Amino acid sequence: VQLQASGGGLVQAGGSLRVSCEASVSIFNIHVMGWYRQTPGKERELVASINGDSFTNYGEFVKGRFTISRDNTKNTVYLKMQMNELEPEDTGVYFCYADGARALRGRSFWGQGTQVTVSS
């Protein structure tokens, strides 16, 4: 399973960005997908996740600013996260991940990370 992250970039405070992640796997073999981030001086933290029932979970710091969504074809899952009202504190590297199900149960997969920089 390969996860390819894209998007991110540089934006001014208050602006918007979208990050995307393409996973080469059937949706039936995925339990949860989501995004973590690594911000300067902090531990890696969960930003948002979405499970097989499309139930979403967000970090407390999101406060309604981000929206995670997922779509799929037969053997590819597309994960997206729209980030609005970005703040300088959102600057960091964003990693997509997937927890496996069925044949991939117990395994986790990570993308390479994409940089998000929010200027003040």
Side-chain angles (χ1 to χ4, degrees), residues 43-103:
E43 299 275 333
R44 186 178 291 193
E45 59 187 346
L46 176 69
V47 181
S49 64
I50 182 168
N51 71 5
D53 296 320
S54 296
F55 177 81
T56 57
N57 182 44
Y58 295 92
E60 288 187 6
F61 57 86
V62 171
K63 298 178 181 177
R65 301 178 296 135
F66 301 173
T67 303
I68 191 171
S69 62
R70 187 193 62 214
D71 199 357
N72 63 279
T73 59
K74 182 178 180 180
N75 291 310
T76 304
V77 180
Y78 302 94
L79 184 72
K80 296 178 182 179
M81 185 166 68
Q82 179 67 36
M83 303 184 291
N84 300 325
E85 301 176 41
L86 284 162
E87 303 167 352
E89 292 74 21
D90 295 314
T91 294
V93 180
Y94 286 65
F95 299 89
C96 61
Y97 78 97
D99 288 337
R102 295 181 175 84

Side-chain angles (χ1 to χ4, degrees), residues 1-3 22-26 29-30 98 100 104 107-110:
V1 178
Q2 292 186 331
L3 276 66
E22 184 175 318
S24 58
V25 64
S26 167
N29 287 321
I30 292 297
L104 299 178
R107 298 178 64 183
S108 294
F109 307 91
W110 291 85

